[in-house]
Amino acid sequence: MALFASIDQGNTATKLTLWLDHEPQCCHVARNASTGALADVLAGCGRLDGAIYSSVSGRNEALWQALLAACPGAVELNRSTPLPIELHYATPATLGLDRIAAAAGAVARYPGCRCLVVDVGTAVTYDLAGPDAAFHGGNIAPGAGLRLRALHDFTAALPEVTVDGGEDRGAALPLWGTDTVSAMRCGALRGIAGEISYYRSLLPGDTTVILTGGRADDIAGLLDFPATVDHDLVGRGLISILEHNIYS
């Protein structure tokens, strides 16, 4: 059995996952400004059989060195890393590494299937992975938090509202807002759900919809069709890329 590690450094947080034979064993998340705890986790792992690092915001050198100490042959995902999927994208140099990894994760988990991959984070990405093991493109939109922040920052009267509703955190989301705060939250969250429904309507009926990212559960509950939530999708893709580099 092989023990692997994947590090997914996003815009605001970094996720370290340990994998045993393709299944996540434990996951540790830290804000990007305080990843020392992740380095400590790596130091306590002993020798890893393989490891991969990916960042959308530049390499954290201390964390990369901690990964190399646990696995001297660690792979860093970059523009020249061999991939297990084809990229049908006009500007591959501008394609986010997290989007590549999520598509690779969808192909690995659902081989031979057409997948709509939705990563609901700081931004929302809608990407299509084909049954031919290829990335066929996608779209990018603001995440719920960015939508709410923009409404406050670029209007004269709309208040500052959090996605969770501040003091009303956990309150049920109505279909229609009954005050300004709930109207803004509904517009942000239900708007994303509506976008997913729209993109799904453009694809064949057997398309598999996969949600990942920090707000995946919130959005999945608003959909009126089946969707899989996989918080480990990017990590699965990273492991698929790692194995492609190790064994191919």
Side-chain angles (χ1 to χ4, degrees):
M1 294 187 293
L3 180 62
F4 292 155
S6 65
I7 293 181
D8 170 27
Q9 183 176 324
N11 289 299
T12 58
T14 299
K15 182 177 181 179
L16 164 64
T17 306
L18 297 178
W19 302 78
L20 189 63
D21 287 349
H22 303 97
E23 290 303 319
Q25 300 301 301
C26 59
C27 174
H28 305 269
V29 180
R31 305 288 290 183
N32 285 348
S34 55
T35 57
L38 301 183
D40 292 340
V41 171
L42 288 170
C45 286
R47 185 57 61 93
L48 297 168
D49 297 302
I52 185 167
Y53 178 98
S54 174
S55 174
V56 301
S57 56
R59 180 201 288 175
N60 179 317
E61 194 60 36
L63 192 56
W64 171 243
Q65 292 301 321
L67 189 64
L68 286 177
C71 181
V75 172
E76 182 177 13
L77 179 58
N78 55 43
R79 302 301 172 187
S80 61
T81 305
L83 302 173
I85 61 173
E86 294 183 6
L87 301 182
H88 296 173
Y89 205 68
T91 57
T94 68
L95 181 58
L97 298 177
D98 53 339
R99 296 173 67 192
I100 293 172
V107 168
R109 183 171 181 183
Y110 298 99
C113 295
R114 179 181 292 100
C115 298
L116 174 62
V117 180
V118 185
D119 193 336
V120 193
T122 303
V124 186
T125 56
Y126 308 90
D127 292 320
L128 181 63
D132 54 351
F135 177 94
H136 288 278
N139 296 337
I140 305 173
L146 287 178
R147 297 174 194 221
L148 292 171
R149 192 180 312 162
L151 286 172
H152 169 66
D153 290 349
F154 296 105
T155 64
L158 290 178
E160 186 173 1
V161 175
T162 64
V163 178
D164 293 313
E167 294 180 358
D168 295 325
R169 181 185 178 95
L173 195 71
L175 179 59
W176 301 102
T178 55
D179 54 52
T180 301
V181 171
S182 62
M184 292 172 65
R185 291 182 64 231
C186 284
L189 290 167
R190 292 193 179 278
I192 293 172
E195 289 173 14
I196 298 171
S197 297
Y198 168 71
Y199 289 125
R200 177 179 177 270
S201 73
L202 302 178
L203 297 169
D206 62 352
T207 300
T208 298
V209 180
I210 312 170
L211 274 61
T212 191
R215 293 291 169 183
D217 293 300
D218 297 333
I219 299 301
L222 302 177
L223 300 176
D224 59 0
F225 54 84
T228 298
V229 174
D230 187 348
H231 291 291
D232 297 308
L233 187 67
V234 171
R236 291 183 197 280
L238 291 175
I239 294 303
S240 173
I241 295 168
L242 173 63
E243 290 187 321
H244 181 74
N245 280 264
I246 292 175
Y247 302 126
S248 296

